[in-house]
PDB file of all heavy atoms in Angstrom:
ATOM      1  N   MET A   1      15.909 -50.270 -66.228  1.00 43.00           N
ATOM      2  CA  MET A   1      16.990 -50.400 -65.252  1.00 43.00           C
ATOM      3  C   MET A   1      16.608 -51.478 -64.230  1.00 43.00           C
ATOM      4  O   MET A   1      15.511 -51.452 -63.686  1.00 43.00           O
ATOM      5  CB  MET A   1      17.224 -49.064 -64.529  1.00 43.00           C
ATOM      6  CG  MET A   1      18.331 -49.129 -63.487  1.00 43.00           C
ATOM      7  SD  MET A   1      18.494 -47.574 -62.562  1.00 43.00           S
ATOM      8  CE  MET A   1      18.943 -46.453 -63.877  1.00 43.00           C
ATOM      9  N   SER A   8      16.871 -56.886 -46.790  1.00 46.00           N
ATOM     10  CA  SER A   8      15.960 -57.033 -45.669  1.00 46.00           C
ATOM     11  C   SER A   8      14.989 -58.171 -45.951  1.00 46.00           C
ATOM     12  O   SER A   8      14.481 -58.295 -47.065  1.00 46.00           O
ATOM     13  CB  SER A   8      15.155 -55.746 -45.450  1.00 46.00           C
ATOM     14  OG  SER A   8      16.018 -54.669 -45.164  1.00 46.00           O
ATOM     15  N   ALA A  51       5.935 -69.208 -11.723  1.00 98.00           N
ATOM     16  CA  ALA A  51       7.083 -68.555 -12.350  1.00 98.00           C
ATOM     17  C   ALA A  51       8.302 -69.449 -12.262  1.00 98.00           C
ATOM     18  O   ALA A  51       8.402 -70.309 -11.383  1.00 98.00           O
ATOM     19  CB  ALA A  51       7.375 -67.220 -11.671  1.00 98.00           C
ATOM     20  N   THR A  78       9.757 -82.351 -23.671  1.00 98.00           N
ATOM     21  CA  THR A  78      11.114 -82.725 -24.085  1.00 98.00           C
ATOM     22  C   THR A  78      12.117 -81.642 -23.691  1.00 98.00           C
ATOM     23  O   THR A  78      13.195 -81.937 -23.146  1.00 98.00           O
ATOM     24  CB  THR A  78      11.156 -82.960 -25.609  1.00 98.00           C
ATOM     25  OG1 THR A  78      10.274 -84.036 -25.941  1.00 98.00           O
ATOM     26  CG2 THR A  78      12.568 -83.308 -26.069  1.00 98.00           C
ATOM     27  N   ALA A  87      20.949 -76.982 -17.468  1.00 98.00           N
ATOM     28  CA  ALA A  87      21.041 -75.619 -16.922  1.00 98.00           C
ATOM     29  C   ALA A  87      21.909 -75.567 -15.673  1.00 98.00           C
ATOM     30  O   ALA A  87      22.033 -76.545 -14.929  1.00 98.00           O
ATOM     31  CB  ALA A  87      19.650 -75.088 -16.603  1.00 98.00           C
ATOM     32  N   VAL A 122      22.458 -70.725  -7.336  1.00 97.00           N
ATOM     33  CA  VAL A 122      23.529 -69.875  -7.865  1.00 97.00           C
ATOM     34  C   VAL A 122      22.959 -68.469  -7.977  1.00 97.00           C
ATOM     35  O   VAL A 122      21.918 -68.265  -8.605  1.00 97.00           O
ATOM     36  CB  VAL A 122      24.008 -70.367  -9.248  1.00 97.00           C
ATOM     37  CG1 VAL A 122      25.034 -69.406  -9.821  1.00 97.00           C
ATOM     38  CG2 VAL A 122      24.588 -71.772  -9.149  1.00 97.00           C
ATOM     39  N   VAL A 146       9.806 -56.877 -23.518  1.00 97.00           N
ATOM     40  CA  VAL A 146       8.490 -57.192 -24.060  1.00 97.00           C
ATOM     41  C   VAL A 146       8.639 -58.347 -25.043  1.00 97.00           C
ATOM     42  O   VAL A 146       9.552 -58.356 -25.880  1.00 97.00           O
ATOM     43  CB  VAL A 146       7.878 -55.967 -24.758  1.00 97.00           C
ATOM     44  CG1 VAL A 146       6.553 -56.337 -25.420  1.00 97.00           C
ATOM     45  CG2 VAL A 146       7.672 -54.839 -23.758  1.00 97.00           C
ATOM     46  N   ARG A 151      12.536 -63.622 -27.633  1.00 98.00           N
ATOM     47  CA  ARG A 151      13.763 -62.892 -27.947  1.00 98.00           C
ATOM     48  C   ARG A 151      14.987 -63.426 -27.213  1.00 98.00           C
ATOM     49  O   ARG A 151      16.096 -63.386 -27.742  1.00 98.00           O
ATOM     50  CB  ARG A 151      13.565 -61.406 -27.607  1.00 98.00           C
ATOM     51  CG  ARG A 151      12.415 -60.760 -28.344  1.00 98.00           C
ATOM     52  CD  ARG A 151      12.049 -59.406 -27.756  1.00 98.00           C
ATOM     53  NE  ARG A 151      13.107 -58.424 -27.940  1.00 98.00           N
ATOM     54  CZ  ARG A 151      13.120 -57.234 -27.349  1.00 98.00           C
ATOM     55  NH1 ARG A 151      12.133 -56.888 -26.523  1.00 98.00           N
ATOM     56  NH2 ARG A 151      14.101 -56.398 -27.564  1.00 98.00           N
ATOM     57  N   GLN A 153      16.768 -66.645 -25.102  1.00 98.00           N
ATOM     58  CA  GLN A 153      16.688 -68.077 -24.823  1.00 98.00           C
ATOM     59  C   GLN A 153      16.557 -68.363 -23.331  1.00 98.00           C
ATOM     60  O   GLN A 153      15.922 -69.351 -22.937  1.00 98.00           O
ATOM     61  CB  GLN A 153      17.917 -68.785 -25.404  1.00 98.00           C
ATOM     62  CG  GLN A 153      17.895 -68.862 -26.920  1.00 98.00           C
ATOM     63  CD  GLN A 153      19.113 -69.530 -27.502  1.00 98.00           C
ATOM     64  OE1 GLN A 153      20.227 -69.375 -26.984  1.00 98.00           O
ATOM     65  NE2 GLN A 153      18.938 -70.276 -28.577  1.00 98.00           N
ATOM     66  N   VAL A 164       5.174 -75.981 -18.022  1.00 98.00           N
ATOM     67  CA  VAL A 164       5.086 -77.417 -17.743  1.00 98.00           C
ATOM     68  C   VAL A 164       4.717 -77.665 -16.286  1.00 98.00           C
ATOM     69  O   VAL A 164       3.858 -78.503 -15.976  1.00 98.00           O
ATOM     70  CB  VAL A 164       6.413 -78.125 -18.099  1.00 98.00           C
ATOM     71  CG1 VAL A 164       6.420 -79.569 -17.587  1.00 98.00           C
ATOM     72  CG2 VAL A 164       6.627 -78.116 -19.613  1.00 98.00           C
ATOM     73  N   ASN A 172      -3.149 -82.349 -11.754  1.00 98.00           N
ATOM     74  CA  ASN A 172      -3.401 -82.929 -10.437  1.00 98.00           C
ATOM     75  C   ASN A 172      -4.719 -82.420  -9.856  1.00 98.00           C
ATOM     76  O   ASN A 172      -5.481 -83.183  -9.247  1.00 98.00           O
ATOM     77  CB  ASN A 172      -2.246 -82.600  -9.491  1.00 98.00           C
ATOM     78  CG  ASN A 172      -2.358 -83.332  -8.169  1.00 98.00           C
ATOM     79  OD1 ASN A 172      -2.498 -84.552  -8.133  1.00 98.00           O
ATOM     80  ND2 ASN A 172      -2.289 -82.598  -7.072  1.00 98.00           N
ATOM     81  N   PRO A 204     -13.239 -73.195  -3.313  1.00 94.00           N
ATOM     82  CA  PRO A 204     -12.453 -72.347  -2.413  1.00 94.00           C
ATOM     83  C   PRO A 204     -10.961 -72.593  -2.594  1.00 94.00           C
ATOM     84  O   PRO A 204     -10.514 -73.729  -2.779  1.00 94.00           O
ATOM     85  CB  PRO A 204     -12.913 -72.788  -1.013  1.00 94.00           C
ATOM     86  CG  PRO A 204     -14.255 -73.400  -1.228  1.00 94.00           C
ATOM     87  CD  PRO A 204     -14.201 -74.048  -2.586  1.00 94.00           C
ATOM     88  N   THR A 210     -11.886 -62.906  -7.716  1.00 94.00           N
ATOM     89  CA  THR A 210     -11.889 -61.510  -8.161  1.00 94.00           C
ATOM     90  C   THR A 210     -11.912 -61.408  -9.680  1.00 94.00           C
ATOM     91  O   THR A 210     -11.982 -60.304 -10.232  1.00 94.00           O
ATOM     92  CB  THR A 210     -10.646 -60.765  -7.628  1.00 94.00           C
ATOM     93  OG1 THR A 210      -9.462 -61.478  -8.014  1.00 94.00           O
ATOM     94  CG2 THR A 210     -10.701 -60.640  -6.122  1.00 94.00           C
ATOM     95  N   GLU A 227     -30.987 -52.877  -4.178  1.00 43.00           N
ATOM     96  CA  GLU A 227     -32.252 -52.475  -4.782  1.00 43.00           C
ATOM     97  C   GLU A 227     -33.436 -53.009  -3.989  1.00 43.00           C
ATOM     98  O   GLU A 227     -34.492 -52.372  -3.908  1.00 43.00           O
ATOM     99  CB  GLU A 227     -32.315 -52.979  -6.222  1.00 43.00           C
ATOM    100  CG  GLU A 227     -31.353 -52.249  -7.143  1.00 43.00           C
ATOM    101  CD  GLU A 227     -31.319 -52.866  -8.533  1.00 43.00           C
ATOM    102  OE1 GLU A 227     -32.034 -53.881  -8.732  1.00 43.00           O
ATOM    103  OE2 GLU A 227     -30.614 -52.338  -9.394  1.00 43.00           O
ATOM    104  N   ALA A 228     -33.270 -54.209  -3.394  1.00 41.00           N
ATOM    105  CA  ALA A 228     -34.348 -54.793  -2.601  1.00 41.00           C
ATOM    106  C   ALA A 228     -34.564 -54.006  -1.326  1.00 41.00           C
ATOM    107  O   ALA A 228     -35.648 -53.981  -0.766  1.00 41.00           O
ATOM    108  CB  ALA A 228     -34.030 -56.242  -2.288  1.00 41.00           C
TER     109      ALA A 228
END
Side-chain angles (χ1 to χ4, degrees):
M1 180 184 297
S8 299
T78 299
V122 175
V146 175
R151 302 167 66 190
Q153 288 179 324
V164 170
N172 188 53
T210 55
E227 290 174 358

